[in-house]
Amino acid sequence: MSSAFEFGLLLHTRGMLGDKDSPPSFDELWEDAAYAEQMNFDQIWLGDSVCILYRARGDCLTTMAALACKTNRIKIGTVPLIAALRNPVLLAHSLATLDVISKGRISVAVSVAGTAEYNEREFLACGVPFHQKAGRLSESIVLMRRLWSEKSFPFDGKYYQFKEIGVLPKPIQKPGIPIWIAAAKNDNALRRVAKFGDGWVTIAHNPEDFASRRRKIDLYAAELGRRQVVRGSLLFASLNMGRDGEGAKEEGWSWMERFFGRPRREITSQATIFGTVKDCAAILDRYIDAGLTGLIIRIASADEKTQMQRLIEELKPALSAR
């Protein structure tokens, strides 16, 4: 395995907002972030939702700023960031400021967003026509990259127009903050990765699906002269590892049912890796052979610290031993 393979941890942010018995508190989040850094994870990631209550979480950009001040080394990202909900000039300015605050540790994995009714409701609430979400995302990526790297410029796009402007500060990272693109299996999404992405985030359910989609991205990127640019691939997966493989699977699926509020037969859009350390390493070996360069792990267990320890102390060495 390449020494560049990275381990990212999704921080759970939905449980921080309080209820009738307790006020909102992010203290547990800060503790989890500090422990992830102590355990030598490479990245921590946050989710993004704005106004859908059953998916409610704190604002991801504000939370990233706090995490940047409470950690020292670990990279900080949002996955998937629904960039088209936001004005790209304001978003570029916020992210550049975050990059300076964090001393160059910010990255984002953007998504065009899904097609569910709640997705449309969120776009309409934020004043963004839902049918424009893909076009606005593509134009936003172009705009943000220019705002990060150019002093000033005018712009006359399909969705955004302005006279000559610029933003300060510029990001610490040059030529700008890494923009990963979260994309599923349809060709338009994979072409978007090839055309605009610094890397790809996927929930491909098995190594064969991953390999097929990665080949398409490489083909499209080569056609655009970007094959050497779109090199990274991150698997976003839920993970539970135990001494007993069947027990880990049962615990993992039970956690997923509680988290998503649905029976496991209906949780079909998530990649899951449950079993012993050896089982999980064997699955990931096949992804790595197909080009995987890193993980974003949602821990499917109430005992997060034990799972984090197994990830770094047992799974990571098992993969490195290849």
Side-chain angles (χ1 to χ4, degrees), residues 13-33:
T13 51
R14 291 195 200 177
M16 309 294 167
L17 302 184
D19 53 35
K20 64 180 181 180
D21 298 317
S22 61
S25 173
F26 283 67
D27 290 346
E28 185 179 342
L29 191 73
W30 314 143
E31 292 172 8
D32 289 344

mmCIF file with all atom_site columns, all heavy atoms in Angstrom, residues 13-33:
data_model
loop_
_atom_site.group_PDB
_atom_site.id
_atom_site.type_symbol
_atom_site.label_atom_id
_atom_site.label_alt_id
_atom_site.label_comp_id
_atom_site.label_asym_id
_atom_site.label_entity_id
_atom_site.label_seq_id
_atom_site.pdbx_PDB_ins_code
_atom_site.Cartn_x
_atom_site.Cartn_y
_atom_site.Cartn_z
_atom_site.occupancy
_atom_site.B_iso_or_equiv
_atom_site.pdbx_formal_charge
_atom_site.auth_seq_id
_atom_site.auth_comp_id
_atom_site.auth_asym_id
_atom_site.auth_atom_id
_atom_site.pdbx_PDB_model_num
ATOM 1   N N   . THR A 1 13 ? -22.166 14.711 14.112 1.00 0.00 ? 13 THR A N   1
ATOM 2   C CA  . THR A 1 13 ? -22.593 16.043 14.535 1.00 0.00 ? 13 THR A CA  1
ATOM 3   C C   . THR A 1 13 ? -24.090 16.154 14.795 1.00 0.00 ? 13 THR A C   1
ATOM 4   O O   . THR A 1 13 ? -24.548 17.177 15.289 1.00 0.00 ? 13 THR A O   1
ATOM 5   C CB  . THR A 1 13 ? -22.218 17.085 13.455 1.00 0.00 ? 13 THR A CB  1
ATOM 6   O OG1 . THR A 1 13 ? -22.703 16.638 12.181 1.00 0.00 ? 13 THR A OG1 1
ATOM 7   C CG2 . THR A 1 13 ? -20.712 17.258 13.373 1.00 0.00 ? 13 THR A CG2 1
ATOM 8   N N   . ARG A 1 14 ? -24.851 15.112 14.478 1.00 0.00 ? 14 ARG A N   1
ATOM 9   C CA  . ARG A 1 14 ? -26.303 15.215 14.655 1.00 0.00 ? 14 ARG A CA  1
ATOM 10  C C   . ARG A 1 14 ? -26.716 15.190 16.117 1.00 0.00 ? 14 ARG A C   1
ATOM 11  O O   . ARG A 1 14 ? -27.776 15.685 16.476 1.00 0.00 ? 14 ARG A O   1
ATOM 12  C CB  . ARG A 1 14 ? -27.008 14.080 13.915 1.00 0.00 ? 14 ARG A CB  1
ATOM 13  C CG  . ARG A 1 14 ? -26.927 14.174 12.418 1.00 0.00 ? 14 ARG A CG  1
ATOM 14  C CD  . ARG A 1 14 ? -27.960 13.239 11.792 1.00 0.00 ? 14 ARG A CD  1
ATOM 15  N NE  . ARG A 1 14 ? -27.648 12.934 10.414 1.00 0.00 ? 14 ARG A NE  1
ATOM 16  C CZ  . ARG A 1 14 ? -28.342 12.113 9.665  1.00 0.00 ? 14 ARG A CZ  1
ATOM 17  N NH1 . ARG A 1 14 ? -29.392 11.489 10.173 1.00 0.00 ? 14 ARG A NH1 1
ATOM 18  N NH2 . ARG A 1 14 ? -28.005 11.873 8.411  1.00 0.00 ? 14 ARG A NH2 1
ATOM 19  N N   . GLY A 1 15 ? -25.895 14.608 16.998 1.00 0.00 ? 15 GLY A N   1
ATOM 20  C CA  . GLY A 1 15 ? -26.287 14.471 18.391 1.00 0.00 ? 15 GLY A CA  1
ATOM 21  C C   . GLY A 1 15 ? -25.881 15.627 19.266 1.00 0.00 ? 15 GLY A C   1
ATOM 22  O O   . GLY A 1 15 ? -26.008 15.550 20.491 1.00 0.00 ? 15 GLY A O   1
ATOM 23  N N   . MET A 1 16 ? -25.418 16.727 18.673 1.00 0.00 ? 16 MET A N   1
ATOM 24  C CA  . MET A 1 16 ? -24.885 17.831 19.464 1.00 0.00 ? 16 MET A CA  1
ATOM 25  C C   . MET A 1 16 ? -25.913 18.938 19.705 1.00 0.00 ? 16 MET A C   1
ATOM 26  O O   . MET A 1 16 ? -25.603 19.923 20.356 1.00 0.00 ? 16 MET A O   1
ATOM 27  C CB  . MET A 1 16 ? -23.677 18.450 18.748 1.00 0.00 ? 16 MET A CB  1
ATOM 28  C CG  . MET A 1 16 ? -22.627 17.459 18.315 1.00 0.00 ? 16 MET A CG  1
ATOM 29  S SD  . MET A 1 16 ? -21.821 16.683 19.731 1.00 0.00 ? 16 MET A SD  1
ATOM 30  C CE  . MET A 1 16 ? -20.963 15.318 18.921 1.00 0.00 ? 16 MET A CE  1
ATOM 31  N N   . LEU A 1 17 ? -27.112 18.808 19.134 1.00 0.00 ? 17 LEU A N   1
ATOM 32  C CA  . LEU A 1 17 ? -28.015 19.948 19.090 1.00 0.00 ? 17 LEU A CA  1
ATOM 33  C C   . LEU A 1 17 ? -28.991 20.006 20.256 1.00 0.00 ? 17 LEU A C   1
ATOM 34  O O   . LEU A 1 17 ? -29.823 20.902 20.328 1.00 0.00 ? 17 LEU A O   1
ATOM 35  C CB  . LEU A 1 17 ? -28.790 19.934 17.767 1.00 0.00 ? 17 LEU A CB  1
ATOM 36  C CG  . LEU A 1 17 ? -27.893 19.957 16.517 1.00 0.00 ? 17 LEU A CG  1
ATOM 37  C CD1 . LEU A 1 17 ? -28.740 20.040 15.265 1.00 0.00 ? 17 LEU A CD1 1
ATOM 38  C CD2 . LEU A 1 17 ? -26.904 21.110 16.565 1.00 0.00 ? 17 LEU A CD2 1
ATOM 39  N N   . GLY A 1 18 ? -28.897 19.061 21.181 1.00 0.00 ? 18 GLY A N   1
ATOM 40  C CA  . GLY A 1 18 ? -29.714 19.115 22.379 1.00 0.00 ? 18 GLY A CA  1
ATOM 41  C C   . GLY A 1 18 ? -31.130 18.631 22.158 1.00 0.00 ? 18 GLY A C   1
ATOM 42  O O   . GLY A 1 18 ? -31.555 18.317 21.049 1.00 0.00 ? 18 GLY A O   1
ATOM 43  N N   . ASP A 1 19 ? -31.877 18.564 23.250 1.00 0.00 ? 19 ASP A N   1
ATOM 44  C CA  . ASP A 1 19 ? -33.287 18.183 23.221 1.00 0.00 ? 19 ASP A CA  1
ATOM 45  C C   . ASP A 1 19 ? -33.969 18.876 24.382 1.00 0.00 ? 19 ASP A C   1
ATOM 46  O O   . ASP A 1 19 ? -33.419 19.806 24.979 1.00 0.00 ? 19 ASP A O   1
ATOM 47  C CB  . ASP A 1 19 ? -33.455 16.662 23.279 1.00 0.00 ? 19 ASP A CB  1
ATOM 48  C CG  . ASP A 1 19 ? -32.700 16.040 24.455 1.00 0.00 ? 19 ASP A CG  1
ATOM 49  O OD1 . ASP A 1 19 ? -32.633 16.692 25.528 1.00 0.00 ? 19 ASP A OD1 1
ATOM 50  O OD2 . ASP A 1 19 ? -32.183 14.919 24.314 1.00 0.00 ? 19 ASP A OD2 1
ATOM 51  N N   . LYS A 1 20 ? -35.174 18.419 24.714 1.00 0.00 ? 20 LYS A N   1
ATOM 52  C CA  . LYS A 1 20 ? -35.931 19.093 25.773 1.00 0.00 ? 20 LYS A CA  1
ATOM 53  C C   . LYS A 1 20 ? -35.252 18.965 27.136 1.00 0.00 ? 20 LYS A C   1
ATOM 54  O O   . LYS A 1 20 ? -35.530 19.752 28.054 1.00 0.00 ? 20 LYS A O   1
ATOM 55  C CB  . LYS A 1 20 ? -37.348 18.519 25.842 1.00 0.00 ? 20 LYS A CB  1
ATOM 56  C CG  . LYS A 1 20 ? -37.419 17.038 26.232 1.00 0.00 ? 20 LYS A CG  1
ATOM 57  C CD  . LYS A 1 20 ? -38.858 16.564 26.273 1.00 0.00 ? 20 LYS A CD  1
ATOM 58  C CE  . LYS A 1 20 ? -38.922 15.083 26.696 1.00 0.00 ? 20 LYS A CE  1
ATOM 59  N NZ  . LYS A 1 20 ? -40.325 14.594 26.740 1.00 0.00 ? 20 LYS A NZ  1
ATOM 60  N N   . ASP A 1 21 ? -34.356 17.971 27.278 1.00 0.00 ? 21 ASP A N   1
ATOM 61  C CA  . ASP A 1 21 ? -33.717 17.743 28.575 1.00 0.00 ? 21 ASP A CA  1
ATOM 62  C C   . ASP A 1 21 ? -32.295 18.303 28.663 1.00 0.00 ? 21 ASP A C   1
ATOM 63  O O   . ASP A 1 21 ? -31.741 18.407 29.755 1.00 0.00 ? 21 ASP A O   1
ATOM 64  C CB  . ASP A 1 21 ? -33.670 16.244 28.884 1.00 0.00 ? 21 ASP A CB  1
ATOM 65  C CG  . ASP A 1 21 ? -35.062 15.639 28.971 1.00 0.00 ? 21 ASP A CG  1
ATOM 66  O OD1 . ASP A 1 21 ? -35.935 16.287 29.585 1.00 0.00 ? 21 ASP A OD1 1
ATOM 67  O OD2 . ASP A 1 21 ? -35.272 14.558 28.425 1.00 0.00 ? 21 ASP A OD2 1
ATOM 68  N N   . SER A 1 22 ? -31.689 18.652 27.517 1.00 0.00 ? 22 SER A N   1
ATOM 69  C CA  . SER A 1 22 ? -30.311 19.134 27.547 1.00 0.00 ? 22 SER A CA  1
ATOM 70  C C   . SER A 1 22 ? -30.106 20.193 26.475 1.00 0.00 ? 22 SER A C   1
ATOM 71  O O   . SER A 1 22 ? -30.644 20.087 25.372 1.00 0.00 ? 22 SER A O   1
ATOM 72  C CB  . SER A 1 22 ? -29.340 17.969 27.331 1.00 0.00 ? 22 SER A CB  1
ATOM 73  O OG  . SER A 1 22 ? -29.561 17.363 26.076 1.00 0.00 ? 22 SER A OG  1
ATOM 74  N N   . PRO A 1 23 ? -29.309 21.217 26.793 1.00 0.00 ? 23 PRO A N   1
ATOM 75  C CA  . PRO A 1 23 ? -29.054 22.274 25.808 1.00 0.00 ? 23 PRO A CA  1
ATOM 76  C C   . PRO A 1 23 ? -28.032 21.804 24.771 1.00 0.00 ? 23 PRO A C   1
ATOM 77  O O   . PRO A 1 23 ? -27.312 20.818 24.995 1.00 0.00 ? 23 PRO A O   1
ATOM 78  C CB  . PRO A 1 23 ? -28.476 23.408 26.663 1.00 0.00 ? 23 PRO A CB  1
ATOM 79  C CG  . PRO A 1 23 ? -27.810 22.700 27.815 1.00 0.00 ? 23 PRO A CG  1
ATOM 80  C CD  . PRO A 1 23 ? -28.660 21.491 28.082 1.00 0.00 ? 23 PRO A CD  1
ATOM 81  N N   . PRO A 1 24 ? -27.935 22.478 23.630 1.00 0.00 ? 24 PRO A N   1
ATOM 82  C CA  . PRO A 1 24 ? -26.924 22.114 22.629 1.00 0.00 ? 24 PRO A CA  1
ATOM 83  C C   . PRO A 1 24 ? -25.516 22.222 23.203 1.00 0.00 ? 24 PRO A C   1
ATOM 84  O O   . PRO A 1 24 ? -25.220 23.127 23.989 1.00 0.00 ? 24 PRO A O   1
ATOM 85  C CB  . PRO A 1 24 ? -27.140 23.139 21.514 1.00 0.00 ? 24 PRO A CB  1
ATOM 86  C CG  . PRO A 1 24 ? -28.529 23.655 21.718 1.00 0.00 ? 24 PRO A CG  1
ATOM 87  C CD  . PRO A 1 24 ? -28.773 23.602 23.187 1.00 0.00 ? 24 PRO A CD  1
ATOM 88  N N   . SER A 1 25 ? -24.657 21.297 22.811 1.00 0.00 ? 25 SER A N   1
ATOM 89  C CA  . SER A 1 25 ? -23.261 21.334 23.256 1.00 0.00 ? 25 SER A CA  1
ATOM 90  C C   . SER A 1 25 ? -22.402 20.607 22.239 1.00 0.00 ? 25 SER A C   1
ATOM 91  O O   . SER A 1 25 ? -22.745 19.515 21.786 1.00 0.00 ? 25 SER A O   1
ATOM 92  C CB  . SER A 1 25 ? -23.095 20.664 24.621 1.00 0.00 ? 25 SER A CB  1
ATOM 93  O OG  . SER A 1 25 ? -21.718 20.558 24.964 1.00 0.00 ? 25 SER A OG  1
ATOM 94  N N   . PHE A 1 26 ? -21.274 21.225 21.878 1.00 0.00 ? 26 PHE A N   1
ATOM 95  C CA  . PHE A 1 26 ? -20.337 20.615 20.948 1.00 0.00 ? 26 PHE A CA  1
ATOM 96  C C   . PHE A 1 26 ? -19.112 20.048 21.670 1.00 0.00 ? 26 PHE A C   1
ATOM 97  O O   . PHE A 1 26 ? -18.139 19.664 21.029 1.00 0.00 ? 26 PHE A O   1
ATOM 98  C CB  . PHE A 1 26 ? -19.893 21.644 19.900 1.00 0.00 ? 26 PHE A CB  1
ATOM 99  C CG  . PHE A 1 26 ? -20.912 21.896 18.829 1.00 0.00 ? 26 PHE A CG  1
ATOM 100 C CD1 . PHE A 1 26 ? -22.120 22.519 19.121 1.00 0.00 ? 26 PHE A CD1 1
ATOM 101 C CD2 . PHE A 1 26 ? -20.688 21.480 17.525 1.00 0.00 ? 26 PHE A CD2 1
ATOM 102 C CE1 . PHE A 1 26 ? -23.062 22.740 18.139 1.00 0.00 ? 26 PHE A CE1 1
ATOM 103 C CE2 . PHE A 1 26 ? -21.629 21.693 16.536 1.00 0.00 ? 26 PHE A CE2 1
ATOM 104 C CZ  . PHE A 1 26 ? -22.822 22.328 16.844 1.00 0.00 ? 26 PHE A CZ  1
ATOM 105 N N   . ASP A 1 27 ? -19.163 19.974 22.998 1.00 0.00 ? 27 ASP A N   1
ATOM 106 C CA  . ASP A 1 27 ? -18.001 19.522 23.763 1.00 0.00 ? 27 ASP A CA  1
ATOM 107 C C   . ASP A 1 27 ? -17.548 18.124 23.356 1.00 0.00 ? 27 ASP A C   1
ATOM 108 O O   . ASP A 1 27 ? -16.351 17.848 23.246 1.00 0.00 ? 27 ASP A O   1
ATOM 109 C CB  . ASP A 1 27 ? -18.306 19.557 25.267 1.00 0.00 ? 27 ASP A CB  1
ATOM 110 C CG  . ASP A 1 27 ? -18.423 20.981 25.808 1.00 0.00 ? 27 ASP A CG  1
ATOM 111 O OD1 . ASP A 1 27 ? -18.003 21.916 25.095 1.00 0.00 ? 27 ASP A OD1 1
ATOM 112 O OD2 . ASP A 1 27 ? -18.953 21.151 26.929 1.00 0.00 ? 27 ASP A OD2 1
ATOM 113 N N   . GLU A 1 28 ? -18.503 17.226 23.130 1.00 0.00 ? 28 GLU A N   1
ATOM 114 C CA  . GLU A 1 28 ? -18.150 15.862 22.739 1.00 0.00 ? 28 GLU A CA  1
ATOM 115 C C   . GLU A 1 28 ? -17.455 15.846 21.377 1.00 0.00 ? 28 GLU A C   1
ATOM 116 O O   . GLU A 1 28 ? -16.535 15.059 21.138 1.00 0.00 ? 28 GLU A O   1
ATOM 117 C CB  . GLU A 1 28 ? -19.398 14.986 22.705 1.00 0.00 ? 28 GLU A CB  1
ATOM 118 C CG  . GLU A 1 28 ? -19.112 13.513 22.423 1.00 0.00 ? 28 GLU A CG  1
ATOM 119 C CD  . GLU A 1 28 ? -20.370 12.663 22.424 1.00 0.00 ? 28 GLU A CD  1
ATOM 120 O OE1 . GLU A 1 28 ? -21.400 13.112 22.968 1.00 0.00 ? 28 GLU A OE1 1
ATOM 121 O OE2 . GLU A 1 28 ? -20.324 11.540 21.875 1.00 0.00 ? 28 GLU A OE2 1
ATOM 122 N N   . LEU A 1 29 ? -17.881 16.737 20.487 1.00 0.00 ? 29 LEU A N   1
ATOM 123 C CA  . LEU A 1 29 ? -17.258 16.831 19.163 1.00 0.00 ? 29 LEU A CA  1
ATOM 124 C C   . LEU A 1 29 ? -15.800 17.250 19.281 1.00 0.00 ? 29 LEU A C   1
ATOM 125 O O   . LEU A 1 29 ? -14.921 16.699 18.610 1.00 0.00 ? 29 LEU A O   1
ATOM 126 C CB  . LEU A 1 29 ? -18.022 17.820 18.290 1.00 0.00 ? 29 LEU A CB  1
ATOM 127 C CG  . LEU A 1 29 ? -17.644 17.824 16.812 1.00 0.00 ? 29 LEU A CG  1
ATOM 128 C CD1 . LEU A 1 29 ? -18.194 16.579 16.128 1.00 0.00 ? 29 LEU A CD1 1
ATOM 129 C CD2 . LEU A 1 29 ? -18.177 19.078 16.121 1.00 0.00 ? 29 LEU A CD2 1
ATOM 130 N N   . TRP A 1 30 ? -15.534 18.249 20.131 1.00 0.00 ? 30 TRP A N   1
ATOM 131 C CA  . TRP A 1 30 ? -14.142 18.686 20.311 1.00 0.00 ? 30 TRP A CA  1
ATOM 132 C C   . TRP A 1 30 ? -13.297 17.543 20.874 1.00 0.00 ? 30 TRP A C   1
ATOM 133 O O   . TRP A 1 30 ? -12.153 17.354 20.463 1.00 0.00 ? 30 TRP A O   1
ATOM 134 C CB  . TRP A 1 30 ? -14.050 19.886 21.250 1.00 0.00 ? 30 TRP A CB  1
ATOM 135 C CG  . TRP A 1 30 ? -15.006 21.011 21.040 1.00 0.00 ? 30 TRP A CG  1
ATOM 136 C CD1 . TRP A 1 30 ? -15.598 21.769 22.016 1.00 0.00 ? 30 TRP A CD1 1
ATOM 137 C CD2 . TRP A 1 30 ? -15.512 21.555 19.795 1.00 0.00 ? 30 TRP A CD2 1
ATOM 138 N NE1 . TRP A 1 30 ? -16.422 22.729 21.466 1.00 0.00 ? 30 TRP A NE1 1
ATOM 139 C CE2 . TRP A 1 30 ? -16.384 22.618 20.109 1.00 0.00 ? 30 TRP A CE2 1
ATOM 140 C CE3 . TRP A 1 30 ? -15.307 21.220 18.461 1.00 0.00 ? 30 TRP A CE3 1
ATOM 141 C CZ2 . TRP A 1 30 ? -17.048 23.359 19.135 1.00 0.00 ? 30 TRP A CZ2 1
ATOM 142 C CZ3 . TRP A 1 30 ? -15.971 21.959 17.482 1.00 0.00 ? 30 TRP A CZ3 1
ATOM 143 C CH2 . TRP A 1 30 ? -16.815 23.008 17.806 1.00 0.00 ? 30 TRP A CH2 1
ATOM 144 N N   . GLU A 1 31 ? -13.864 16.770 21.798 1.00 0.00 ? 31 GLU A N   1
ATOM 145 C CA  . GLU A 1 31 ? -13.134 15.636 22.382 1.00 0.00 ? 31 GLU A CA  1
ATOM 146 C C   . GLU A 1 31 ? -12.834 14.577 21.319 1.00 0.00 ? 31 GLU A C   1
ATOM 147 O O   . GLU A 1 31 ? -11.724 14.033 21.265 1.00 0.00 ? 31 GLU A O   1
ATOM 148 C CB  . GLU A 1 31 ? -13.943 15.023 23.522 1.00 0.00 ? 31 GLU A CB  1
ATOM 149 C CG  . GLU A 1 31 ? -14.086 15.927 24.748 1.00 0.00 ? 31 GLU A CG  1
ATOM 150 C CD  . GLU A 1 31 ? -15.050 15.349 25.773 1.00 0.00 ? 31 GLU A CD  1
ATOM 151 O OE1 . GLU A 1 31 ? -15.479 14.190 25.590 1.00 0.00 ? 31 GLU A OE1 1
ATOM 152 O OE2 . GLU A 1 31 ? -15.374 16.063 26.746 1.00 0.00 ? 31 GLU A OE2 1
ATOM 153 N N   . ASP A 1 32 ? -13.819 14.280 20.474 1.00 0.00 ? 32 ASP A N   1
ATOM 154 C CA  . ASP A 1 32 ? -13.607 13.288 19.412 1.00 0.00 ? 32 ASP A CA  1
ATOM 155 C C   . ASP A 1 32 ? -12.536 13.751 18.436 1.00 0.00 ? 32 ASP A C   1
ATOM 156 O O   . ASP A 1 32 ? -11.706 12.952 17.980 1.00 0.00 ? 32 ASP A O   1
ATOM 157 C CB  . ASP A 1 32 ? -14.917 13.032 18.666 1.00 0.00 ? 32 ASP A CB  1
ATOM 158 C CG  . ASP A 1 32 ? -15.933 12.266 19.495 1.00 0.00 ? 32 ASP A CG  1
ATOM 159 O OD1 . ASP A 1 32 ? -15.540 11.667 20.516 1.00 0.00 ? 32 ASP A OD1 1
ATOM 160 O OD2 . ASP A 1 32 ? -17.125 12.275 19.108 1.00 0.00 ? 32 ASP A OD2 1
ATOM 161 N N   . ALA A 1 33 ? -12.554 15.041 18.096 1.00 0.00 ? 33 ALA A N   1
ATOM 162 C CA  . ALA A 1 33 ? -11.551 15.576 17.174 1.00 0.00 ? 33 ALA A CA  1
ATOM 163 C C   . ALA A 1 33 ? -10.159 15.497 17.780 1.00 0.00 ? 33 ALA A C   1
ATOM 164 O O   . ALA A 1 33 ? -9.189  15.114 17.105 1.00 0.00 ? 33 ALA A O   1
ATOM 165 C CB  . ALA A 1 33 ? -11.895 17.017 16.815 1.00 0.00 ? 33 ALA A CB  1
#
